[in-house]
PDB file of all heavy atoms in Angstrom:
ATOM      1  N   PRO A 102     -17.106 -11.652  75.807  1.00  0.00           N
ATOM      2  CA  PRO A 102     -16.768 -11.635  74.261  1.00  0.00           C
ATOM      3  C   PRO A 102     -15.372 -12.138  73.987  1.00  0.00           C
ATOM      4  O   PRO A 102     -15.067 -12.630  72.908  1.00  0.00           O
ATOM      5  CB  PRO A 102     -16.770 -10.076  73.899  1.00  0.00           C
ATOM      6  CG  PRO A 102     -17.547  -9.502  74.999  1.00  0.00           C
ATOM      7  CD  PRO A 102     -17.418 -10.335  76.287  1.00  0.00           C
ATOM      8  N   ALA A 103     -14.525 -12.205  74.948  1.00  0.00           N
ATOM      9  CA  ALA A 103     -13.074 -12.637  74.730  1.00  0.00           C
ATOM     10  C   ALA A 103     -12.970 -14.110  74.978  1.00  0.00           C
ATOM     11  O   ALA A 103     -11.846 -14.601  74.895  1.00  0.00           O
ATOM     12  CB  ALA A 103     -12.155 -11.800  75.532  1.00  0.00           C
ATOM     13  N   THR A 104     -13.947 -14.775  75.454  1.00  0.00           N
ATOM     14  CA  THR A 104     -13.814 -16.152  75.864  1.00  0.00           C
ATOM     15  C   THR A 104     -13.321 -17.128  74.716  1.00  0.00           C
ATOM     16  O   THR A 104     -13.554 -16.776  73.570  1.00  0.00           O
ATOM     17  CB  THR A 104     -15.161 -16.770  76.445  1.00  0.00           C
ATOM     18  OG1 THR A 104     -14.756 -18.111  76.972  1.00  0.00           O
ATOM     19  CG2 THR A 104     -16.222 -16.980  75.368  1.00  0.00           C
ATOM     20  N   ILE A 105     -12.617 -18.083  75.134  1.00  0.00           N
ATOM     21  CA  ILE A 105     -12.137 -19.091  74.133  1.00  0.00           C
ATOM     22  C   ILE A 105     -13.153 -20.077  73.935  1.00  0.00           C
ATOM     23  O   ILE A 105     -13.141 -20.931  73.009  1.00  0.00           O
ATOM     24  CB  ILE A 105     -10.763 -19.656  74.510  1.00  0.00           C
ATOM     25  CG1 ILE A 105     -10.195 -20.495  73.419  1.00  0.00           C
ATOM     26  CG2 ILE A 105     -10.900 -20.424  75.857  1.00  0.00           C
ATOM     27  CD1 ILE A 105      -8.709 -20.925  73.701  1.00  0.00           C
ATOM     28  N   MET A 106     -14.200 -20.231  74.888  1.00  0.00           N
ATOM     29  CA  MET A 106     -15.218 -21.154  74.733  1.00  0.00           C
ATOM     30  C   MET A 106     -16.059 -21.001  73.490  1.00  0.00           C
ATOM     31  O   MET A 106     -16.738 -19.968  73.400  1.00  0.00           O
ATOM     32  CB  MET A 106     -16.026 -21.292  76.029  1.00  0.00           C
ATOM     33  CG  MET A 106     -17.114 -22.337  75.845  1.00  0.00           C
ATOM     34  SD  MET A 106     -17.608 -23.260  77.310  1.00  0.00           S
ATOM     35  CE  MET A 106     -19.227 -23.708  76.875  1.00  0.00           C
ATOM     36  N   PRO A 107     -16.142 -21.983  72.527  1.00  0.00           N
ATOM     37  CA  PRO A 107     -17.018 -21.749  71.370  1.00  0.00           C
ATOM     38  C   PRO A 107     -18.466 -21.680  71.768  1.00  0.00           C
ATOM     39  O   PRO A 107     -18.913 -22.124  72.781  1.00  0.00           O
ATOM     40  CB  PRO A 107     -16.720 -22.996  70.574  1.00  0.00           C
ATOM     41  CG  PRO A 107     -15.506 -23.627  71.085  1.00  0.00           C
ATOM     42  CD  PRO A 107     -15.455 -23.217  72.539  1.00  0.00           C
ATOM     43  N   SER A 108     -19.145 -20.983  70.811  1.00  0.00           N
ATOM     44  CA  SER A 108     -20.673 -20.963  70.979  1.00  0.00           C
ATOM     45  C   SER A 108     -21.270 -22.203  70.267  1.00  0.00           C
ATOM     46  O   SER A 108     -21.068 -22.295  69.077  1.00  0.00           O
ATOM     47  CB  SER A 108     -21.188 -19.613  70.348  1.00  0.00           C
ATOM     48  OG  SER A 108     -20.540 -18.548  70.910  1.00  0.00           O
ATOM     49  N   TYR A 109     -21.903 -23.017  71.130  1.00  0.00           N
ATOM     50  CA  TYR A 109     -22.292 -24.358  70.561  1.00  0.00           C
ATOM     51  C   TYR A 109     -23.717 -24.338  69.762  1.00  0.00           C
ATOM     52  O   TYR A 109     -24.000 -25.286  69.125  1.00  0.00           O
ATOM     53  CB  TYR A 109     -22.300 -25.329  71.599  1.00  0.00           C
ATOM     54  CG  TYR A 109     -20.862 -25.784  71.882  1.00  0.00           C
ATOM     55  CD1 TYR A 109     -20.138 -25.070  72.864  1.00  0.00           C
ATOM     56  CD2 TYR A 109     -20.238 -26.788  71.204  1.00  0.00           C
ATOM     57  CE1 TYR A 109     -18.730 -25.456  73.056  1.00  0.00           C
ATOM     58  CE2 TYR A 109     -18.953 -27.123  71.377  1.00  0.00           C
ATOM     59  CZ  TYR A 109     -18.136 -26.513  72.288  1.00  0.00           C
ATOM     60  OH  TYR A 109     -16.860 -26.750  72.461  1.00  0.00           O
ATOM     61  N   TYR A 110     -24.422 -23.255  69.947  1.00  0.00           N
ATOM     62  CA  TYR A 110     -25.670 -23.106  69.173  1.00  0.00           C
ATOM     63  C   TYR A 110     -25.694 -21.763  68.613  1.00  0.00           C
ATOM     64  O   TYR A 110     -26.530 -20.955  69.114  1.00  0.00           O
ATOM     65  CB  TYR A 110     -26.840 -23.421  70.212  1.00  0.00           C
ATOM     66  CG  TYR A 110     -28.114 -23.795  69.427  1.00  0.00           C
ATOM     67  CD1 TYR A 110     -28.283 -24.966  68.748  1.00  0.00           C
ATOM     68  CD2 TYR A 110     -29.272 -22.903  69.560  1.00  0.00           C
ATOM     69  CE1 TYR A 110     -29.382 -25.333  68.061  1.00  0.00           C
ATOM     70  CE2 TYR A 110     -30.452 -23.269  68.918  1.00  0.00           C
ATOM     71  CZ  TYR A 110     -30.521 -24.434  68.149  1.00  0.00           C
ATOM     72  OH  TYR A 110     -31.649 -24.720  67.564  1.00  0.00           O
ATOM     73  N   ARG A 111     -24.960 -21.528  67.601  1.00  0.00           N
ATOM     74  CA  ARG A 111     -24.893 -20.247  66.989  1.00  0.00           C
ATOM     75  C   ARG A 111     -24.252 -20.443  65.548  1.00  0.00           C
ATOM     76  O   ARG A 111     -23.341 -21.246  65.297  1.00  0.00           O
ATOM     77  CB  ARG A 111     -23.974 -19.340  67.735  1.00  0.00           C
ATOM     78  CG  ARG A 111     -23.644 -18.011  67.050  1.00  0.00           C
ATOM     79  CD  ARG A 111     -22.886 -17.148  67.938  1.00  0.00           C
ATOM     80  NE  ARG A 111     -21.950 -16.357  67.279  1.00  0.00           N
ATOM     81  CZ  ARG A 111     -20.986 -15.690  67.777  1.00  0.00           C
ATOM     82  NH1 ARG A 111     -20.686 -15.765  69.067  1.00  0.00           N
ATOM     83  NH2 ARG A 111     -20.119 -14.918  66.999  1.00  0.00           N
ATOM     84  N   ILE A 112     -24.877 -19.773  64.574  1.00  0.00           N
ATOM     85  CA  ILE A 112     -24.297 -19.841  63.186  1.00  0.00           C
ATOM     86  C   ILE A 112     -24.033 -18.656  62.599  1.00  0.00           C
ATOM     87  O   ILE A 112     -23.490 -18.488  61.525  1.00  0.00           O
ATOM     88  CB  ILE A 112     -25.284 -20.634  62.290  1.00  0.00           C
ATOM     89  CG1 ILE A 112     -26.795 -20.078  62.335  1.00  0.00           C
ATOM     90  CG2 ILE A 112     -25.358 -22.226  62.680  1.00  0.00           C
ATOM     91  CD1 ILE A 112     -27.725 -20.842  61.408  1.00  0.00           C
ATOM     92  N   ASP A 113     -24.414 -17.460  63.274  1.00  0.00           N
ATOM     93  CA  ASP A 113     -24.153 -16.165  62.683  1.00  0.00           C
ATOM     94  C   ASP A 113     -22.871 -15.524  63.259  1.00  0.00           C
ATOM     95  O   ASP A 113     -22.354 -15.962  64.213  1.00  0.00           O
ATOM     96  CB  ASP A 113     -25.329 -15.118  62.993  1.00  0.00           C
ATOM     97  CG  ASP A 113     -25.429 -14.929  64.544  1.00  0.00           C
ATOM     98  OD1 ASP A 113     -25.418 -15.976  65.189  1.00  0.00           O
ATOM     99  OD2 ASP A 113     -25.434 -13.828  65.001  1.00  0.00           O
ATOM    100  N   GLY A 114     -22.276 -14.584  62.521  1.00  0.00           N
ATOM    101  CA  GLY A 114     -21.137 -13.843  62.994  1.00  0.00           C
ATOM    102  C   GLY A 114     -19.887 -14.674  62.913  1.00  0.00           C
ATOM    103  O   GLY A 114     -18.885 -14.374  63.675  1.00  0.00           O
TER     104      GLY A 114
END
Side-chain angles (χ1 to χ4, degrees):
Chain A
T104 187
I105 190 170
M106 173 144 162
S108 300
Y109 283 88
Y110 197 67
R111 171 174 146 196
I112 52 177
D113 62 309

